[in-house]
Short mmCIF file of all heavy atoms in Angstrom, two decimals:
data_model
loop_
_atom_site.label_atom_id
_atom_site.label_comp_id
_atom_site.label_asym_id
_atom_site.label_seq_id
_atom_site.Cartn_x
_atom_site.Cartn_y
_atom_site.Cartn_z
N HIS H 29 -22.59 8.33 9.16
CA HIS H 29 -21.57 8.01 8.17
C HIS H 29 -21.64 6.53 7.78
O HIS H 29 -21.90 5.66 8.60
CB HIS H 29 -20.18 8.31 8.75
CG HIS H 29 -19.87 9.76 8.79
ND1 HIS H 29 -18.75 10.25 9.45
CD2 HIS H 29 -20.49 10.83 8.26
CE1 HIS H 29 -18.72 11.57 9.31
NE2 HIS H 29 -19.77 11.94 8.59
N GLU H 30 -21.38 6.31 6.48
CA GLU H 30 -21.36 4.93 5.98
C GLU H 30 -20.07 4.20 6.34
O GLU H 30 -20.07 3.04 6.68
CB GLU H 30 -21.51 4.93 4.46
CG GLU H 30 -22.89 5.35 3.96
CD GLU H 30 -23.95 4.33 4.27
OE1 GLU H 30 -23.61 3.14 4.42
OE2 GLU H 30 -25.13 4.71 4.39
N TYR H 31 -18.96 4.91 6.23
CA TYR H 31 -17.66 4.27 6.37
C TYR H 31 -17.12 4.44 7.79
O TYR H 31 -17.18 5.53 8.36
CB TYR H 31 -16.65 4.89 5.41
CG TYR H 31 -16.98 4.70 3.95
CD1 TYR H 31 -17.51 5.74 3.21
CD2 TYR H 31 -16.76 3.48 3.34
CE1 TYR H 31 -17.81 5.58 1.86
CE2 TYR H 31 -17.07 3.31 2.00
CZ TYR H 31 -17.58 4.36 1.26
OH TYR H 31 -17.89 4.18 -0.06
N MET H 32 -16.57 3.36 8.30
CA MET H 32 -15.92 3.42 9.62
C MET H 32 -14.62 2.63 9.58
O MET H 32 -14.50 1.64 8.82
CB MET H 32 -16.86 2.89 10.71
CG MET H 32 -18.11 3.74 10.88
SD MET H 32 -19.13 3.29 12.29
CE MET H 32 -18.16 3.91 13.65
N TYR H 33 -13.66 3.05 10.40
CA TYR H 33 -12.31 2.50 10.35
C TYR H 33 -11.76 2.30 11.76
O TYR H 33 -12.05 3.08 12.66
CB TYR H 33 -11.37 3.48 9.62
CG TYR H 33 -11.81 3.87 8.22
CD1 TYR H 33 -12.74 4.89 8.03
CD2 TYR H 33 -11.30 3.22 7.11
CE1 TYR H 33 -13.14 5.26 6.75
CE2 TYR H 33 -11.69 3.58 5.83
CZ TYR H 33 -12.62 4.59 5.66
OH TYR H 33 -13.01 4.95 4.39
N TRP H 34 -10.93 1.28 11.89
CA TRP H 34 -10.14 1.10 13.11
C TRP H 34 -8.66 1.14 12.74
O TRP H 34 -8.22 0.42 11.85
CB TRP H 34 -10.44 -0.24 13.79
CG TRP H 34 -11.62 -0.21 14.70
CD1 TRP H 34 -12.84 -0.76 14.51
CD2 TRP H 34 -11.67 0.41 15.99
NE1 TRP H 34 -13.66 -0.53 15.58
CE2 TRP H 34 -12.97 0.19 16.50
CE3 TRP H 34 -10.77 1.14 16.77
CZ2 TRP H 34 -13.38 0.65 17.75
CZ3 TRP H 34 -11.17 1.60 18.00
CH2 TRP H 34 -12.46 1.37 18.49
N TYR H 35 -7.91 2.00 13.47
CA TYR H 35 -6.48 2.13 13.30
C TYR H 35 -5.80 1.83 14.62
O TYR H 35 -6.37 1.99 15.68
CB TYR H 35 -6.10 3.56 12.91
CG TYR H 35 -6.62 4.06 11.60
CD1 TYR H 35 -7.84 4.74 11.52
CD2 TYR H 35 -5.87 3.90 10.42
CE1 TYR H 35 -8.30 5.23 10.29
CE2 TYR H 35 -6.34 4.40 9.21
CZ TYR H 35 -7.54 5.05 9.16
OH TYR H 35 -8.00 5.54 7.96
N ARG H 36 -4.53 1.49 14.51
CA ARG H 36 -3.67 1.50 15.68
C ARG H 36 -2.50 2.45 15.42
O ARG H 36 -2.04 2.60 14.28
CB ARG H 36 -3.18 0.09 16.04
CG ARG H 36 -2.36 -0.62 15.00
CD ARG H 36 -1.88 -1.98 15.52
NE ARG H 36 -0.85 -1.84 16.54
CZ ARG H 36 -0.35 -2.84 17.26
NH1 ARG H 36 -0.81 -4.08 17.08
NH2 ARG H 36 0.60 -2.64 18.15
N GLN H 37 -2.07 3.09 16.50
CA GLN H 37 -0.96 4.03 16.40
C GLN H 37 0.12 3.63 17.38
O GLN H 37 -0.10 3.57 18.58
CB GLN H 37 -1.42 5.47 16.69
CG GLN H 37 -0.31 6.49 16.49
CD GLN H 37 -0.79 7.91 16.73
OE1 GLN H 37 -1.64 8.17 17.57
NE2 GLN H 37 -0.25 8.85 15.96
N ASP H 38 1.29 3.37 16.84
CA ASP H 38 2.45 3.01 17.65
C ASP H 38 3.54 4.05 17.43
O ASP H 38 3.61 4.66 16.36
CB ASP H 38 2.96 1.62 17.24
CG ASP H 38 1.88 0.56 17.38
OD1 ASP H 38 1.49 0.30 18.54
OD2 ASP H 38 1.40 0.02 16.37
N PRO H 39 4.39 4.25 18.42
CA PRO H 39 5.43 5.29 18.31
C PRO H 39 6.26 5.11 17.05
O PRO H 39 6.77 4.02 16.77
CB PRO H 39 6.26 5.06 19.57
CG PRO H 39 5.33 4.43 20.54
CD PRO H 39 4.42 3.56 19.73
N GLY H 40 6.38 6.19 16.28
CA GLY H 40 7.20 6.16 15.09
C GLY H 40 6.63 5.40 13.91
O GLY H 40 7.29 5.26 12.88
N MET H 41 5.37 4.94 14.06
CA MET H 41 4.81 4.10 12.99
C MET H 41 3.64 4.77 12.28
O MET H 41 3.10 4.22 11.34
CB MET H 41 4.32 2.77 13.59
CG MET H 41 5.42 1.93 14.17
SD MET H 41 6.51 1.30 12.89
CE MET H 41 5.43 0.15 12.07
N GLY H 42 3.22 5.92 12.74
CA GLY H 42 2.03 6.51 12.12
C GLY H 42 0.80 5.70 12.45
O GLY H 42 0.77 4.94 13.42
N LEU H 43 -0.23 5.82 11.64
CA LEU H 43 -1.46 5.06 11.84
C LEU H 43 -1.52 3.92 10.84
O LEU H 43 -1.25 4.10 9.66
CB LEU H 43 -2.69 5.95 11.62
CG LEU H 43 -3.19 6.70 12.84
CD1 LEU H 43 -2.29 7.88 13.13
CD2 LEU H 43 -4.62 7.18 12.62
N ARG H 44 -1.87 2.76 11.34
CA ARG H 44 -2.02 1.59 10.47
C ARG H 44 -3.45 1.07 10.57
O ARG H 44 -3.99 0.91 11.66
CB ARG H 44 -1.01 0.51 10.88
CG ARG H 44 0.44 0.89 10.60
CD ARG H 44 1.39 -0.25 10.94
NE ARG H 44 1.45 -0.49 12.37
CZ ARG H 44 2.08 -1.53 12.93
NH1 ARG H 44 2.66 -2.43 12.14
NH2 ARG H 44 2.11 -1.67 14.24
N LEU H 45 -4.01 0.78 9.42
CA LEU H 45 -5.41 0.38 9.34
C LEU H 45 -5.56 -1.09 9.73
O LEU H 45 -4.89 -1.97 9.18
CB LEU H 45 -5.94 0.61 7.93
CG LEU H 45 -7.40 0.28 7.68
CD1 LEU H 45 -8.31 1.19 8.50
CD2 LEU H 45 -7.71 0.41 6.19
N ILE H 46 -6.47 -1.36 10.67
CA ILE H 46 -6.70 -2.73 11.12
C ILE H 46 -7.83 -3.37 10.31
O ILE H 46 -7.65 -4.38 9.64
CB ILE H 46 -7.05 -2.76 12.62
CG1 ILE H 46 -5.96 -2.06 13.44
CG2 ILE H 46 -7.23 -4.20 13.10
CD1 ILE H 46 -6.35 -1.86 14.91
N HIS H 47 -9.01 -2.80 10.43
CA HIS H 47 -10.19 -3.23 9.68
C HIS H 47 -11.02 -2.00 9.35
O HIS H 47 -10.87 -0.96 9.99
CB HIS H 47 -11.07 -4.18 10.51
CG HIS H 47 -10.54 -5.56 10.68
ND1 HIS H 47 -10.64 -6.53 9.71
CD2 HIS H 47 -9.93 -6.13 11.74
CE1 HIS H 47 -10.10 -7.65 10.16
NE2 HIS H 47 -9.66 -7.45 11.39
N TYR H 48 -11.89 -2.15 8.37
CA TYR H 48 -12.79 -1.07 8.07
C TYR H 48 -14.13 -1.61 7.58
O TYR H 48 -14.27 -2.82 7.34
CB TYR H 48 -12.19 -0.10 7.05
CG TYR H 48 -11.95 -0.66 5.67
CD1 TYR H 48 -12.81 -0.37 4.62
CD2 TYR H 48 -10.83 -1.45 5.42
CE1 TYR H 48 -12.57 -0.86 3.35
CE2 TYR H 48 -10.59 -1.96 4.15
CZ TYR H 48 -11.45 -1.65 3.12
OH TYR H 48 -11.22 -2.15 1.86
N SER H 49 -15.08 -0.71 7.46
CA SER H 49 -16.44 -1.10 7.03
C SER H 49 -17.00 -0.03 6.11
O SER H 49 -16.89 1.16 6.39
CB SER H 49 -17.33 -1.26 8.27
OG SER H 49 -18.68 -1.38 7.90
N VAL H 50 -17.60 -0.48 5.04
CA VAL H 50 -18.20 0.48 4.09
C VAL H 50 -19.70 0.56 4.25
O VAL H 50 -20.38 1.24 3.47
CB VAL H 50 -17.83 0.14 2.63
CG1 VAL H 50 -16.31 0.17 2.46
CG2 VAL H 50 -18.39 -1.22 2.22
N GLY H 51 -20.23 -0.11 5.25
CA GLY H 51 -21.66 -0.01 5.51
C GLY H 51 -22.09 -1.04 6.53
O GLY H 51 -21.34 -1.98 6.84
N GLU H 52 -23.29 -0.86 7.05
CA GLU H 52 -23.81 -1.78 8.04
C GLU H 52 -23.77 -3.21 7.53
O GLU H 52 -24.16 -3.49 6.39
CB GLU H 52 -25.27 -1.39 8.36
CG GLU H 52 -25.94 -2.22 9.41
CD GLU H 52 -27.36 -1.72 9.66
OE1 GLU H 52 -27.59 -0.51 9.63
OE2 GLU H 52 -28.24 -2.58 9.88
N GLY H 53 -23.25 -4.11 8.37
CA GLY H 53 -23.18 -5.52 8.01
C GLY H 53 -21.99 -5.91 7.17
O GLY H 53 -21.85 -7.09 6.82
N THR H 54 -21.13 -4.97 6.84
CA THR H 54 -19.95 -5.28 6.02
C THR H 54 -18.67 -4.93 6.77
O THR H 54 -18.63 -3.95 7.52
CB THR H 54 -19.94 -4.49 4.70
OG1 THR H 54 -19.65 -3.11 4.97
CG2 THR H 54 -21.26 -4.59 3.99
N THR H 55 -17.64 -5.74 6.59
CA THR H 55 -16.33 -5.43 7.14
C THR H 55 -15.27 -5.90 6.15
O THR H 55 -15.53 -6.76 5.30
CB THR H 55 -16.09 -6.12 8.49
OG1 THR H 55 -16.12 -7.54 8.32
CG2 THR H 55 -17.11 -5.70 9.53
N ALA H 56 -14.08 -5.34 6.27
CA ALA H 56 -12.98 -5.72 5.39
C ALA H 56 -11.67 -5.56 6.15
O ALA H 56 -11.57 -4.75 7.08
CB ALA H 56 -12.98 -4.85 4.12
N LYS H 57 -10.67 -6.33 5.72
CA LYS H 57 -9.37 -6.29 6.37
C LYS H 57 -8.56 -5.10 5.90
O LYS H 57 -8.62 -4.71 4.74
CB LYS H 57 -8.60 -7.58 6.09
CG LYS H 57 -9.22 -8.81 6.72
CD LYS H 57 -8.40 -10.05 6.40
CE LYS H 57 -9.02 -11.29 7.04
NZ LYS H 57 -8.24 -12.51 6.73
N GLY H 58 -7.79 -4.57 6.83
CA GLY H 58 -6.89 -3.50 6.49
C GLY H 58 -5.46 -4.00 6.38
O GLY H 58 -5.21 -5.13 5.96
N GLU H 59 -4.55 -3.17 6.84
CA GLU H 59 -3.12 -3.47 6.71
C GLU H 59 -2.63 -4.48 7.75
O GLU H 59 -1.76 -5.30 7.47
CB GLU H 59 -2.37 -2.14 6.87
CG GLU H 59 -0.89 -2.18 6.63
CD GLU H 59 -0.26 -0.81 6.89
OE1 GLU H 59 -1.01 0.16 7.12
OE2 GLU H 59 0.97 -0.72 6.89
N VAL H 60 -3.17 -4.41 8.97
CA VAL H 60 -2.70 -5.26 10.07
C VAL H 60 -3.88 -5.91 10.79
O VAL H 60 -4.13 -5.64 11.96
CB VAL H 60 -1.83 -4.45 11.07
CG1 VAL H 60 -0.48 -4.12 10.47
CG2 VAL H 60 -2.55 -3.17 11.50
N PRO H 61 -4.61 -6.81 10.15
CA PRO H 61 -5.83 -7.37 10.74
C PRO H 61 -5.65 -8.54 11.70
O PRO H 61 -6.57 -8.86 12.47
CB PRO H 61 -6.59 -7.85 9.50
CG PRO H 61 -5.51 -8.27 8.56
CD PRO H 61 -4.37 -7.28 8.79
N ASP H 62 -4.45 -9.15 11.71
CA ASP H 62 -4.28 -10.38 12.48
C ASP H 62 -4.43 -10.13 13.98
O ASP H 62 -3.84 -9.21 14.53
CB ASP H 62 -2.91 -11.00 12.18
CG ASP H 62 -2.82 -11.49 10.75
OD1 ASP H 62 -3.89 -11.67 10.10
OD2 ASP H 62 -1.70 -11.72 10.27
N GLY H 63 -5.21 -11.00 14.62
CA GLY H 63 -5.43 -10.90 16.06
C GLY H 63 -6.62 -10.05 16.44
O GLY H 63 -6.92 -9.90 17.63
N TYR H 64 -7.30 -9.51 15.44
CA TYR H 64 -8.45 -8.63 15.68
C TYR H 64 -9.67 -9.13 14.89
O TYR H 64 -9.53 -9.67 13.81
CB TYR H 64 -8.18 -7.21 15.24
CG TYR H 64 -6.96 -6.57 15.85
CD1 TYR H 64 -5.73 -6.60 15.18
CD2 TYR H 64 -7.02 -5.94 17.09
CE1 TYR H 64 -4.61 -6.02 15.71
CE2 TYR H 64 -5.89 -5.35 17.64
CZ TYR H 64 -4.70 -5.39 16.94
OH TYR H 64 -3.58 -4.81 17.49
N ASN H 65 -10.85 -8.89 15.45
CA ASN H 65 -12.08 -9.10 14.69
C ASN H 65 -12.96 -7.88 14.87
O ASN H 65 -12.80 -7.12 15.83
CB ASN H 65 -12.80 -10.38 15.15
CG ASN H 65 -13.12 -10.37 16.63
OD1 ASN H 65 -14.02 -9.66 17.07
ND2 ASN H 65 -12.36 -11.12 17.40
N VAL H 66 -13.87 -7.68 13.93
CA VAL H 66 -14.73 -6.51 13.97
C VAL H 66 -16.16 -6.90 13.63
O VAL H 66 -16.41 -7.94 13.01
CB VAL H 66 -14.27 -5.41 12.99
CG1 VAL H 66 -13.01 -4.72 13.48
CG2 VAL H 66 -14.09 -5.98 11.59
N SER H 67 -17.08 -6.06 14.03
CA SER H 67 -18.48 -6.24 13.63
C SER H 67 -19.14 -4.89 13.47
O SER H 67 -18.85 -3.94 14.19
CB SER H 67 -19.23 -7.10 14.65
OG SER H 67 -19.30 -6.46 15.90
N ARG H 68 -20.06 -4.82 12.53
CA ARG H 68 -20.80 -3.59 12.24
C ARG H 68 -22.28 -3.97 12.13
O ARG H 68 -22.87 -3.98 11.06
CB ARG H 68 -20.31 -2.97 10.92
CG ARG H 68 -20.97 -1.64 10.61
CD ARG H 68 -20.15 -0.48 11.00
NE ARG H 68 -20.81 0.79 10.72
CZ ARG H 68 -20.64 1.46 9.59
NH1 ARG H 68 -19.85 0.98 8.63
NH2 ARG H 68 -21.24 2.61 9.42
N LEU H 69 -22.86 -4.29 13.28
CA LEU H 69 -24.26 -4.72 13.30
C LEU H 69 -25.21 -3.54 13.14
O LEU H 69 -26.32 -3.68 12.62
CB LEU H 69 -24.56 -5.48 14.59
CG LEU H 69 -23.74 -6.77 14.78
CD1 LEU H 69 -24.11 -7.44 16.10
CD2 LEU H 69 -23.95 -7.71 13.61
N LYS H 70 -24.79 -2.38 13.63
CA LYS H 70 -25.58 -1.17 13.48
C LYS H 70 -24.74 -0.12 12.75
O LYS H 70 -23.52 -0.07 12.94
CB LYS H 70 -26.01 -0.62 14.84
CG LYS H 70 -26.98 -1.50 15.60
CD LYS H 70 -27.38 -0.82 16.91
CE LYS H 70 -28.37 -1.68 17.67
NZ LYS H 70 -28.78 -1.03 18.95
N LYS H 71 -25.38 0.70 11.98
CA LYS H 71 -24.64 1.68 11.18
C LYS H 71 -23.79 2.60 12.04
O LYS H 71 -22.68 2.97 11.65
CB LYS H 71 -25.64 2.52 10.37
CG LYS H 71 -24.99 3.49 9.41
CD LYS H 71 -26.04 4.23 8.60
CE LYS H 71 -25.39 5.14 7.59
NZ LYS H 71 -26.41 5.85 6.77
N GLN H 72 -24.29 2.93 13.24
CA GLN H 72 -23.57 3.91 14.04
C GLN H 72 -22.46 3.32 14.89
O GLN H 72 -21.70 4.06 15.50
CB GLN H 72 -24.56 4.68 14.94
CG GLN H 72 -25.28 3.80 15.96
CD GLN H 72 -26.61 3.27 15.43
OE1 GLN H 72 -26.74 2.97 14.26
NE2 GLN H 72 -27.59 3.17 16.32
N ASN H 73 -22.38 1.99 14.95
CA ASN H 73 -21.40 1.36 15.83
C ASN H 73 -20.43 0.46 15.06
O ASN H 73 -20.83 -0.25 14.14
CB ASN H 73 -22.10 0.50 16.90
CG ASN H 73 -22.94 1.32 17.85
OD1 ASN H 73 -22.72 2.51 17.99
ND2 ASN H 73 -23.89 0.68 18.50
N PHE H 74 -19.18 0.47 15.51
CA PHE H 74 -18.16 -0.39 14.90
C PHE H 74 -17.34 -0.95 16.06
O PHE H 74 -16.71 -0.18 16.79
CB PHE H 74 -17.30 0.41 13.94
CG PHE H 74 -16.46 -0.40 13.00
CD1 PHE H 74 -16.83 -1.67 12.60
CD2 PHE H 74 -15.29 0.12 12.48
CE1 PHE H 74 -16.07 -2.41 11.72
CE2 PHE H 74 -14.50 -0.60 11.58
CZ PHE H 74 -14.91 -1.86 11.21
N LEU H 75 -17.38 -2.25 16.25
CA LEU H 75 -16.73 -2.89 17.37
C LEU H 75 -15.43 -3.56 16.94
O LEU H 75 -15.38 -4.23 15.90
CB LEU H 75 -17.65 -3.94 18.01
CG LEU H 75 -18.72 -3.45 18.98
CD1 LEU H 75 -19.72 -2.54 18.31
CD2 LEU H 75 -19.43 -4.63 19.63
N LEU H 76 -14.41 -3.41 17.77
CA LEU H 76 -13.13 -4.07 17.54
C LEU H 76 -12.88 -5.03 18.67
O LEU H 76 -12.87 -4.62 19.84
CB LEU H 76 -12.00 -3.04 17.46
CG LEU H 76 -10.59 -3.60 17.29
CD1 LEU H 76 -10.41 -4.17 15.88
CD2 LEU H 76 -9.55 -2.51 17.54
#
Side-chain angles (χ1 to χ4, degrees):
Chain H
H29 285 170
E30 291 291 335
Y31 296 103
M32 296 188 74
Y33 304 84
W34 275 108
Y35 296 92
R36 61 177 288 173
Q37 184 178 34
D38 302 294
M41 296 292 291
L43 272 76
R44 292 183 291 172
L45 182 64
I46 304 171
H47 286 280
Y48 65 103
S49 169
V50 300
E52 182 179 322
T54 72
T55 62
K57 293 180 180 179
E59 186 183 353
V60 288
D62 293 342
Y64 305 95
N65 56 74
V66 287
S67 64
R68 184 97 181 268
L69 298 180
K70 294 182 179 180
K71 185 177 183 179
Q72 63 268 36
N73 295 339
F74 195 28
L75 279 63
L76 177 71

